[in-house]
Amino acid sequence: MDERLVVIVGYDGAQLLDIACVSSTLDVANLGGATPAYRVRLATPGGRPITCGQGLTLEGQETLERLTGPLDTLIVSGGLGFKAAAANPRIVGHVRRLAREARRVASVCTGAGVLAAAGLLEGRRAATHWMFAEEIAASYPGVTVDPCPIFIRDGHVSTSAGVTSALDLTLSFITEDNGLELARQVAQVQVTYLQRPGNQAQMSMFVATPTPEDDLVNRLVAHITSHLDGNLTTTALATRIGVSERHLTRLFTQHLGQTPGRFVRQARTEAAAHLLTTTTLAMASVARRCGFRTAEALRLAFVDRYGISPSRFRTTRRTPTAVASRGVDRRLPDMPAWSVERRGRGRT
């Protein structure tokens, strides 16, 4: 596969950020070496320009009616125009058709309403902007709408909350496709958390710079979080920066409040938590990517940190126990270094 074709479906009244968060984040991933590269295209009805809800006009790159698969990812944008889009049989029909030819299907914000109209969320749990959750749930009673999470994975279909949550969803795709390190680098360039704090397991230690100004500690933290599957013993880390193990332990205890070994274990465990809640990778694959020799080693570390097994963590975090039946989960959500030198235009 030479490239991953990602199609964003736009329409009049779409939210500009819903489109831009996805396209910009994947463009940065391409600059960081995503393999295969992402090729992002905006598909619109008739291939015509669309007027976004903010009044700006975007040129369509593909004609929705003529576009054919296979696609890597199909993403339906949201916006105040979603009601008209969901009521348009031409848009809905072609979204349904393209979904059959896509490896992965997703929506941003109220784009969930279009997916629901196409029957793609029937029997599934879905996220959307909390302001529209009840409306979409009432219109599509076969969908369990949860306004709390930033995004939800249900099989090969993903849905996300309002506007900038598209960035979080896209980072999860990059993680799944290319690994945690590239996603971490993209998050740094985008000046965002790798995964935002929220109602699910939101771990962000991989992007946050340690508060101490000690250069050695900062360098090692960056190395650890980007090489979780490598040799991160205290001996190897001390050798890397040319200090004794005793001095390294003293530095970590002083600046991070824990030994190097404990920090590495925490980093690996939190990375595993991230993968468990944002991907469908098998437990052995999660363990291997995060530097645990076996799934059992991952389980022991997980129980030590979180008090539950990884499998239980995945189940409870992805399916809140408060959702007892279909309809809307009425819990309301909380209310309101890597530098890139661009070497020409990224492929879009």
Side-chain angles (χ1 to χ4, degrees):
M1 181 169 57
D2 295 327
E3 60 186 11
R4 297 180 186 272
L5 178 57
V6 178
V7 171
I8 304 174
V9 177
Y11 45 81
D12 284 331
Q15 164 62 247
L16 182 61
L17 272 177
D18 287 6
I19 299 170
C21 275
V22 174
S23 60
S24 296
T25 304
L26 293 179
D27 182 55
V28 173
N30 284 342
L31 293 173
T35 306
Y38 297 99
R39 181 170 179 260
V40 184
R41 307 293 289 174
L42 176 64
T44 63
R48 295 185 297 273
I50 59 172
T51 301
C52 295
Q54 296 67 39
L56 297 178
T57 300
L58 288 181
E59 293 285 341
Q61 298 168 300
E62 301 287 348
T63 300
L64 180 62
E65 297 84 349
R66 297 179 183 176
L67 189 62
T68 59
L71 314 179
D72 181 79
T73 308
L74 176 69
I75 302 176
V76 179
S77 58
L80 295 180
F82 85 95
K83 295 180 187 178
N88 185 318
R90 184 173 62 177
I91 293 177
V92 169
H94 286 290
V95 166
R96 184 186 302 115
R97 173 182 62 83
L98 290 171
R100 292 194 294 265
E101 302 181 52
R103 177 178 71 92
R104 187 164 56 196
V105 178
S107 66
V108 181
C109 193
T110 52
V114 180
L115 290 188
L120 298 171
L121 298 182
E122 190 68 21
R124 297 183 187 274
R125 178 168 163 259
T128 191
H129 195 293
W130 60 269
M131 290 180 64
F132 296 91
E134 289 200 20
E135 179 179 347
I136 292 177
S139 299
Y140 306 99
V143 182
T144 299
V145 181
D146 188 345
C148 292
I150 291 174
F151 62 86
I152 291 173
R153 288 272 188 100
D154 192 333
H156 74 293
V157 180
S158 300
T159 50
S160 64
V163 286
T164 57
S165 64
L167 195 156
D168 300 273
L169 178 64
T170 308
L171 284 172
S172 78
F173 289 160
I174 293 169
T175 301
E176 182 176 8
D177 298 340
N178 297 275
L180 188 61
E181 166 57 6
L182 180 59
R184 187 186 72 86
Q185 292 177 348
V186 172
Q188 287 180 321
V189 173
Q190 299 292 70
V191 195
T192 187
Y193 290 100
L194 177 58
Q195 191 177 6
R196 284 188 292 172
N199 294 291
Q200 292 187 317
Q202 308 297 330
M203 314 298 177
S204 59
M205 67 173 290
F206 303 103
V207 177
T209 302
T211 51
E213 296 181 354
D214 187 273
D215 181 60
L216 291 180
V217 175
N218 277 283
R219 282 165 48 197
L220 277 185
V221 167
H223 175 75
I224 290 168
T225 56
S226 61
H227 297 82
L228 292 173
D229 59 348
N231 181 0
L232 300 178
T233 62
T234 301
T235 301
L237 293 175
T239 300
R240 182 176 183 81
I241 60 171
V243 300
S244 68
E245 293 180 44
R246 177 178 297 181
H247 183 58
L248 178 64
T249 299
R250 185 162 50 246
L251 284 174
F252 266 66
T253 302
Q254 177 184 349
H255 294 289
L256 296 177
Q258 56 188 322
T259 64
R262 190 67 185 176
F263 180 85
V264 168
R265 185 180 173 92
Q266 176 186 337
R268 284 173 166 164
T269 307
E270 292 192 5
H274 172 77
L275 291 179
L276 287 169
T277 56
T278 60
T279 75
T280 57
L281 290 171
M283 204 65 65
S285 296
V286 172
R288 185 168 55 253
R289 285 196 182 193
C290 297
F292 293 100
R293 291 185 177 180
T294 65
E296 175 62 14
L298 168 61
R299 189 191 71 79
L300 292 174
F302 222 87
V303 171
D304 178 59
R305 179 156 182 79
Y306 296 112
I308 57 175
S309 68
S311 58
R312 177 63 177 165
F313 181 88
R314 169 175 268 175
T315 300
T316 56
R317 294 294 179 169
R318 297 178 74 178
T319 307
T321 55
V323 180
S325 60
R326 290 177 185 166
V328 62
D329 181 345
R330 297 183 181 276
R331 296 170 301 144
L332 287 178
D334 295 336
M335 304 291 288
W338 178 53
S339 63
V340 174
E341 179 180 352
R342 196 175 183 89
R343 299 179 296 275
R345 299 182 62 85
R347 290 194 291 176
T348 58

